[in-house]
Amino acid sequence: MIPASEPECFVSDFEERLAPVERAANEAWWSLATSGTEEAQEGFVGAGKEYTRLFSDRDEYGKLRSLHEDLDSLESPLLRRRVEVLYRMFEERQGDAEILGRIEELEAEANAIYGNHRSVVGGKKLVENEVRELLRSSEDEDLRREAWEASKSVGRAVEGTVRELARLRNQLAREQGYENYYARSLELQEIEAGELAGIMARLESATGEPFRELKIDIDTKLRRKFDVDEVMPWHLSGPFFHRAPDVAGIDLDRYFEGKDLEDLTRRTFDGLGLDVRGVISGSDLYEREGKSQHAFCARIGRAYPYDVRVLANVRPDAYWMDAMLHEFGHAVYDRNVNPRLPYLLRDCAHANTTEAIALMMGALVDDPGWLRSVAGAEGEDLEEDAAKLSAHRRVDRMILTRFVLVMYHFEQALYADPDSGDLNSEWWDLVERFLFVDRPPGRDEPDWAAVIHVAVAPVYYHNYLIGELISAQLRNYLESHITRGPFYENEVAGRYLLESFFGPGAREDWRDTVLRATGEPLNPKHFVKSLD
Ligand SMILES: [Zn+2]
């Protein structure tokens, strides 16, 4: 048996070296996303290499491997967990230093291509917010088609980079003995491939028929609206058709016209007794030339008080209300992990548990009770809309589920063979199979590469779906056992989340967090029920 104190020293010593480097890497990422300058890109690549270098010592890796193989000999559960977490961090960053560095560069390059992409429509360069707006509201078919095609053109610009990334990621994974990068990612994420396949199959069948009916209904309306025989992707309301702004016959945006979304976000979290003022003050929330067009929550280092920031490009509409509640959902989790935990465990339990909170908060955007009490929506309209709002939520969940199925199958195909000449048609085969959206005749473009996750957040999309499952299960538990009514505007719910979900951080496996916080293991039935 290894004496407990020596592994403890080894891990603590590593944590001490990790802290400043991790903080610098986080800062560099924030600086790149908020400025988009070449200097920031160099800084980001440099900080990334520095970070990766921390994991390059073969002796340390060997030592960690043997600790990991003999976990049971470690008495302290916290130390066991730290070893597990650190082992996975090392495992993700093994391999030839040149290849690892090349991957950093390619990821930064891809980020820059997405960040600087502008869709040229009618001779004008549009940002993503403008393309989204156009596809939501324009009735001009030619213009819609042009906008749709322009938004996909980033795919061609980034395709080579994405394929190269996939090849290199595979090479490293295979050298470590994994089948490919996809398989390695699931394993290091503590997701069991067979279990995930089972969940995907179950959700595919649970949504199959209702989604087909829904799509027939959408198509009927769109054919009438645009006076066409066949519905093409540009008739749909978003560039990827993975959200449902108008398919349930409701204009959610009008609830947010002229509203201060920052204020609504603050009030929503105040209602739970979770103060987000400290996050807002460090955040970068509005559109500006050069900054990333997306939305995310960033944690800068893990020193307490935690420095957590949100990047967004807020406009007063439903899309951005959802995004704000979502990102601040991540932020309250990050801000409230117990700071007395050892460094490596000051983190959320898993990507899927933090997505669960983010999705649960984002979903308030079409919740009639929240719209009334927090967003100040007026009485009569709201009553009329109540049924449509619940249809909207259901449609939104189904579309997300079907889009995750596309990504789940596509990324497996990509990592099975990054050089395949069939990826373009495989992508559209999946879009047709799961979303019932037909490919434009003769189209042979890398539309798959237009999805930013494929390049820079690989093998991640399933976490949104598992996050949805956890979110439905958690909300159900909160409202039936803790608050006995809506969880929002209830400080007891906030306290429960603090103690049961956020506080424990990464001290346990995500399955244990789900079990402890909801009284049962992950159970898809709550989510499936919400699709009825
Ligand atoms: Zn998220």
Side-chain angles (χ1 to χ4, degrees):
M1 191 164 149
I2 310 157
S5 63
E6 204 225 321
E8 171 96 49
C9 290
F10 171 70
V11 175
S12 301
D13 172 66
F14 191 87
E15 287 175 327
E16 256 170 58
R17 281 182 284 142
L18 173 63
V21 181
E22 183 167 64
R23 194 187 165 80
N26 297 156
E27 280 281 10
W29 161 238
W30 179 260
S31 154
L32 175 61
T34 51
S35 75
T37 63
E38 223 160 278
E39 196 189 343
Q41 192 173 329
E42 276 167 31
F44 174 68
V45 172
K49 285 183 179 168
E50 193 79 9
Y51 183 80
T52 304
R53 222 180 344 261
L54 278 176
F55 303 90
S56 63
D57 188 314
R58 298 297 295 176
D59 288 345
E60 284 189 331
Y61 177 53
K63 186 162 184 175
L64 199 55
R65 270 186 88 105
S66 60
L67 281 177
H68 189 254
E69 272 159 26
D70 200 16
L71 264 187
D72 291 341
S73 70
L74 302 173
E75 265 176 48
S76 151
L78 280 188
L79 182 58
R80 279 203 294 272
R81 193 68 192 151
R82 283 154 85 197
V83 168
E84 283 186 293
V85 169
L86 189 55
Y87 169 73
R88 284 198 303 273
M89 289 170 89
F90 264 86
E91 191 73 354
E92 266 175 38
R93 293 167 182 88
Q94 291 312 298
D96 181 72
E98 226 167 90
I99 297 182
L100 287 163
R102 182 79 188 120
I103 290 176
E104 305 271 355
E105 283 162 13
L106 289 167
E107 285 179 352
E109 201 176 290
N111 260 316
I113 297 174
Y114 292 110
N116 297 326
H117 176 75
R118 296 292 177 271
S119 300
V120 180
V121 184
K124 272 203 304 199
K125 288 183 178 175
L126 304 189
V127 295
E128 279 181 35
N129 266 342
E130 291 165 323
V131 172
R132 200 177 298 114
E133 178 64 39
L134 194 154
L135 288 174
R136 187 164 61 206
S137 59
S138 172
E139 294 185 7
D140 179 337
E141 198 191 342
D142 292 338
L143 203 61
R144 295 185 71 92
R145 178 175 187 153
E146 205 186 332
W148 183 84
E149 283 177 349
S151 75
K152 299 292 182 201
S153 65
V154 68
R156 209 189 285 177
V158 81
E159 174 191 6
T161 309
V162 180
R163 283 187 193 260
E164 178 69 4
L165 272 169
R167 272 193 288 272
L168 295 176
R169 287 170 181 153
N170 266 355
Q171 186 184 332
L172 294 183
R174 286 185 177 135
E175 280 166 12
Q176 284 172 285
Y178 296 94
E179 187 192 336
N180 60 30
Y181 179 78
Y182 193 94
R184 191 190 79 165
S185 299
L186 287 189
E187 187 153 335
L188 296 183
Q189 290 177 33
E190 297 181 293
I191 304 257
E192 215 260 295
E195 186 190 9
L196 183 61
I199 290 173
M200 291 292 173
R202 171 153 183 203
L203 291 172
E204 180 183 348
S205 78
T207 51
E209 259 327 290
F211 189 68
R212 186 180 298 281
E213 281 167 29
L214 175 82
K215 184 61 172 42
I216 290 171
D217 188 44
I218 294 171
D219 285 355
T220 309
K221 286 184 189 140
L222 290 173
R223 270 196 294 270
R224 206 176 306 141
K225 181 173 170 188
F226 292 102
D227 191 22
V228 289
D229 293 330
E230 258 183 284
V231 172
M232 286 288 122
W234 49 85
H235 294 124
L236 297 162
S237 48
F240 287 112
F241 182 46
H242 63 238
R243 282 301 192 206
D246 60 12
V247 286
I250 188 164
D251 175 19
L252 253 191
D253 290 319
R254 70 190 163 86
Y255 287 111
F256 303 102
E257 260 167 40
K259 288 281 167 69
D260 178 352
L261 268 47
E262 196 180 309
D263 180 51
L264 291 180
T265 303
R266 192 165 34 230
R267 282 176 25 213
T268 303
F269 286 92
D270 276 350
L272 288 162
L274 301 170
D275 186 3
V276 292
R277 283 163 188 77
V279 179
I280 290 178
S281 66
S283 290
D284 188 326
L285 299 176
Y286 300 98
E287 285 176 272
R288 202 181 57 245
E289 183 68 31
K291 77 182 253 197
S292 158
Q293 303 184 64
H294 299 107
F296 62 82
C297 171
R299 183 194 59 184
I300 313 295
R302 312 190 201 188
Y304 190 78
Y306 297 125
D307 180 355
V308 179
R309 310 169 189 176
V310 168
L311 179 141
N313 290 274
V314 172
R315 290 184 173 196
D317 59 25
Y319 174 89
W320 281 106
M321 188 73 254
D322 185 339
M324 283 287 276
L325 296 171
H326 181 108
E327 300 309 337
F328 278 85
H330 286 305
V332 290
Y333 196 158
D334 285 341
R335 284 272 285 195
N336 289 292
V337 167
N338 183 353
R340 281 167 34 211
L341 285 168
Y343 185 87
L344 284 168
L345 306 184
R346 274 178 241 152
D347 198 356
C348 45
H350 196 277
N352 61 33
T353 57
T354 184
E355 290 305 341
I357 299 300
L359 290 161
M360 185 169 85
M361 296 310 296
L364 292 175
V365 75
D366 57 14
D367 188 298
W370 179 86
L371 281 167
R372 186 182 315 110
S373 61
V374 183
E378 300 294 323
E380 271 177 38
D381 274 6
L382 196 58
E383 308 239 306
E384 242 174 62
D385 277 356
K388 288 183 187 165
L389 284 165
S390 84
H392 181 271
R393 173 66 18 211
R394 182 173 165 263
V395 170
D396 210 42
R397 286 195 173 128
M398 272 201 275
I399 294 178
L400 176 76
T401 303
R402 306 296 287 186
F403 191 74
V404 172
L405 285 163
V406 172
M407 291 289 285
Y408 169 68
H409 288 279
F410 180 78
E411 285 194 293
Q412 288 182 67
L414 173 66
Y415 288 101
D417 181 10
D419 296 306
S420 164
D422 295 329
L423 289 176
N424 296 355
S425 73
E426 277 179 72
W427 172 259
W428 276 104
D429 288 345
L430 293 167
V431 171
E432 289 177 348
R433 173 176 158 201
F434 292 114
L435 292 170
F436 308 130
V437 174
D438 294 336
R439 76 191 75 193
R443 187 163 179 89
D444 182 18
E445 293 290 327
D447 294 329
W448 49 274
V451 185
I452 187 169
H453 286 74
V454 176
V456 300
V459 197
Y460 187 86
Y461 239 84
H462 55 270
N463 287 316
Y464 292 120
L465 195 59
I466 298 177
E468 284 280 11
L469 304 188
I470 297 172
S471 163
Q473 187 169 328
L474 178 63
R475 182 164 179 176
N476 176 65
Y477 183 83
L478 279 173
E479 298 190 335
S480 59
H481 288 77
I482 308 293
T483 58
R484 304 195 182 276
F487 79 96
Y488 52 88
E489 288 206 289
N490 192 320
E491 294 195 8
V492 178
R495 269 207 304 283
Y496 184 81
L497 290 174
L498 283 183
E499 278 167 27
S500 305
F501 216 87
F502 307 159
R507 65 178 298 159
E508 61 194 3
D509 183 292
W510 65 273
R511 290 160 210 277
D512 294 329
T513 299
V514 172
L515 174 63
R516 201 177 21 71
T518 70
E520 63 176 329
L522 181 69
N523 184 348
K525 90 171 180 203
H526 302 286
F527 178 73
V528 170
K529 220 174 106 197
S530 74
L531 299 172
D532 285 345

